[in-house]
Amino acid sequence: MNARLLPFALLLALGCQSAAPEAEVPVPTPAAEVEQPAPVDTAPPVEEAPEPAAAEVVFADPMPPSAEEAAELASDLTPAITDGIYTVDQARRGAEVMANRCVDCHVVEDWSGDSFRRRWSEESVYRMFQYLHESMPEGEPPYSLPREQVTDVLTYIFYLNGVPAGDAELGSDDDSLDDHWIVWVSADER
């Protein structure tokens, strides 16, 4: 019998003895008299967990970042939308979708300006895309707009907020969208 189980077996045997006094309880042989095989440790070594890091409190600045701060943020969250992740033609298609599907409920200011920029600053492009795809147009079932149209609207929103266009269109697949972070440029950089 395994030496670690011996105390449990003894307690079990004593418990059984009081419940059924006529049952014979085997008396374990002392460990010194029985030759035990060397224990085999099959469990992986236990490593101590590192101490959790102290939580860092970060307060958001209510103002859009300066040109230097935007450049620093862009370097931390690369690739960022400031890297020219859409084309002007793609943003034009987005403006058409916005004019045909969104103007009944929204004005341009809903998708631009300081309040909007603060809300989406340092978020992933994928998260904004998912928000639009799941909840717009209002009153319609989620995902009612094709992914390509949602991506085009997203690029038009970037255009409205002064994000520079580039040479390649933003893809509408999850991997393309998830590769970028929202870092706004200041009005001085536009």
Side-chain angles (χ1 to χ4, degrees):
M1 176 177 285
N2 189 331
R4 287 186 278 169
L5 296 177
L6 187 60
F8 297 113
L10 187 55
L11 286 174
L12 181 62
L14 290 173
C16 291
Q17 184 179 14
S18 62
E22 55 277 335
E24 180 126 353
V25 179
V27 178
T29 308
E33 295 178 16
V34 178
E35 189 172 293
Q36 296 286 333
V40 177
D41 189 10
T42 58
V46 177
E47 294 180 18
E48 290 188 32
E51 289 289 322
E56 182 178 332
V57 178
V58 179
F59 296 95
D61 186 359
M63 298 301 295
S66 68
E68 295 81 26
E69 291 169 333
E72 184 179 328
L73 286 172
S75 68
D76 291 343
L77 300 171
T78 54
I81 61 173
T82 56
D83 296 336
I85 65 168
Y86 71 96
T87 64
V88 172
D89 287 339
Q90 189 175 23
R92 283 188 185 126
R93 290 194 310 264
E96 289 174 20
V97 173
M98 186 85 83
N100 293 324
R101 300 295 302 265
C102 308
V103 294
D104 291 339
C105 299
H106 298 286
V107 293
V108 170
E109 289 77 21
D110 291 341
W111 300 105
S112 60
D114 291 340
S115 177
F116 174 80
R117 291 163 57 113
R118 276 193 304 274
R119 161 60 184 96
W120 288 102
S121 184
E122 298 183 36
E123 291 287 350
S124 71
V125 170
Y126 177 78
R127 185 166 179 187
M128 185 185 280
F129 171 89
Q130 279 302 108
Y131 171 77
L132 295 171
H133 201 210
E134 289 175 356
S135 60
M136 301 295 162
E138 189 173 332
E140 292 188 26
Y143 314 110
S144 60
L145 286 177
R147 290 179 71 94
E148 293 78 15
Q149 286 185 354
V150 175
T151 304
D152 291 347
V153 167
L154 185 65
T155 62
Y156 179 59
I157 291 169
F158 294 157
Y159 173 82
L160 289 174
N161 286 281
V163 175
D167 297 329
E169 290 195 355
L170 177 62
S172 59
D173 60 288
D174 289 351
D175 289 338
S176 296
L177 296 164
D178 201 33
D179 281 346
H180 305 285
W181 292 90
I182 299 172
V183 179
W184 304 112
V185 293
S186 69
D188 299 338
E189 295 176 285
R190 295 183 202 165

